[in-house]
Structures are given as C-alpha cells and as structure tokens.
Amino acid sequence: MSVEPRVNEQIRAREVRLVGPEGEQVGIVPLERALQLAADVDLDLVEVAPMARPPVCKLMDFGKFKYESALKAREARRNQQQTVIKEMKLRPKIDPHDYETKKGHVVRFLKAGDKVKVTIMFRGREQSRPELGYRLLRRLESEISELGYVEAAPKQDGRNMIMVLAPHRATKAAAVAATAAKGGAQRERDPESGAETPANPAPAGESGA
C-alpha cells in the first residue's frame, strides 16, 4: 500500500471537508467542486485525513509539500545518528609512555565525534587507593578539554572507576564535515571495471612522456 495521500483525481469520496491553503475551513463540498477550486488557484487537492467522514482534503502545492517533508525527514535522520561509545582502559599506575599513547587514542575518538568511556582498573591493594584513579581521570579531563567534556563524572564501579567523555558540539560538527568532505573527494570509478579514473582525464595523446 502507498503511504502517500491521495491527490486530485485519486480521491474517491463523493464529498469532502475542504480546508483552504491557509488552513481556513471552507466546509463540506462535492468532490467536483473541490477539484475545481484547486484548479482555479493552481493548487492540488490533497486528502489529509482519509478516515474522517467525509474525508478532509486541503488545497496545497503537493510537490512543494513532498520536498519540504523529505528535507524534514533527512534532518530528523541526521539528528538521530547513533552515537558510538568507545572504551579506553587504564591502570592507576600507568607508565607515562602508555598514558600518552592511550590519551592519543582518546583524542582521536573525540575528534571522530565519538564518546569515550574511560575505565581505571584497580587490582589488589590498588583498590584501597581510589584517589590515584581519580587524579588520573582529572588529569585526562584537563588535557582533552579543548576537544571534549565530562558527560559522566568519575564513579566507582566495583574494581573499576569509570568516566565518560563526550566531544564538544563544535568537535562533533567538524567530524561530520570532515567525513562529508572525504566522501565528496573520492575519485569516480569506472562503472564496468571498478577502476579509479581521474575526475578530469587528460585528452588523448597527452602522455607526459
């Protein structure tokens, strides 16, 4: 079944409750009269409430309506993009080199627009020194502050301490823009062979030899 409303001659009712282009109530009129009114103002007659008795129809530019609806749906999908949560695990007494390496991964995740769950893993006697993990998380928070912020503050969870970082809105927007630019810069491919071809191939006979 089509999800689109019936338009103009597709409408089957003998009479309709007509709504004008500005939302004004015209009243119940024969279908033929409604179609004539639509033609007179160069608009479409669109069945907006088919289950009503009689069905409700509105005068509108159906092509413009479909275009605007598609834009709204696209925007809604963009806003509903699933957020990816990465995880980075550290030890409270992590080696400086390992710390810098793992911090680099956190920075990369944030720049990509992803959230990061940072987990400090305590073992043995380390469990009696939660302040070590807390200080490490606060240090990380400070060093990535230009890219992200703490969405969930450090919290003890059994043997672990967890903090969630999220990218700033500007960081995420930059990641989306970079992804779009990367996709637009991809080279065209030959539809038959799949081989890459330059966007502006040189004229025949120009080999550069």
Side-chain angles (χ1 to χ4, degrees):
M1 294 181 60
S2 174
V3 296
E4 287 193 356
R6 296 189 183 97
V7 181
N8 299 327
E9 285 74 15
Q10 297 174 350
I11 301 171
R12 301 169 185 170
R14 293 183 179 180
E15 59 181 17
V16 300
R17 184 178 298 278
L18 185 62
V19 179
E22 302 301 325
E24 66 274 18
Q25 298 291 328
V26 178
I28 298 176
V29 300
L31 176 61
E32 293 78 7
R33 174 62 176 159
L35 288 170
Q36 184 59 52
L37 288 173
D40 289 345
V41 293
D42 196 24
L43 292 174
D44 300 299
L45 183 67
V46 182
E47 191 178 56
V48 295
M51 302 307 294
R53 291 293 179 266
V56 179
C57 294
K58 183 175 182 180
L59 298 175
M60 67 173 72
D61 183 336
F62 189 56
K64 181 180 179 181
F65 171 76
K66 288 179 64 178
Y67 174 75
E68 292 177 346
S69 296
L71 286 181
K72 290 179 181 178
R74 189 181 309 158
E75 184 65 22
R77 287 194 298 270
R78 184 180 298 119
N79 293 336
Q80 293 173 358
Q81 288 180 340
Q82 292 184 347
T83 301
V84 177
I85 299 181
K86 303 289 188 178
E87 182 172 18
M88 186 56 56
K89 296 181 178 180
L90 298 82
R91 295 291 308 282
K93 297 181 179 179
I94 188 171
D95 175 86
H97 175 75
D98 290 341
Y99 171 80
E100 292 298 328
T101 298
K102 290 182 181 288
K103 185 183 74 173
H105 291 317
V106 172
V107 167
R108 178 163 52 86
F109 293 149
L110 291 173
K111 284 184 175 180
D114 300 328
K115 294 183 180 181
V116 186
K117 181 173 79 170
V118 184
T119 302
I120 304 294
M121 302 180 297
F122 296 94
R123 294 180 184 174
R125 296 179 180 178
E126 292 175 347
Q127 296 179 60
S128 64
R129 301 287 306 281
E131 69 277 6
L132 295 177
Y134 185 81
R135 284 202 296 265
L136 187 61
L137 291 177
R138 285 309 185 193
R139 174 187 173 187
L140 180 62
E141 173 194 353
S142 175
E143 293 178 355
I144 58 85
S145 60
E146 291 186 0
L147 298 173
Y149 63 96
V150 175
E151 183 179 73
K155 180 180 179 181
Q156 194 76 28
D157 182 17
R159 294 184 177 182
N160 300 329
M161 182 176 288
I162 297 172
M163 178 177 73
V164 178
L165 299 170
H168 291 309
R169 184 175 300 179
T171 304
K172 192 164 187 176
V176 172
T179 300
K182 183 178 180 181
Q186 287 182 339
R187 291 182 176 180
E188 298 177 358
R189 291 180 176 274
D190 183 275
E192 295 184 0
S193 67
E196 289 188 352
T197 58
N200 297 303
E206 293 186 11
S207 63

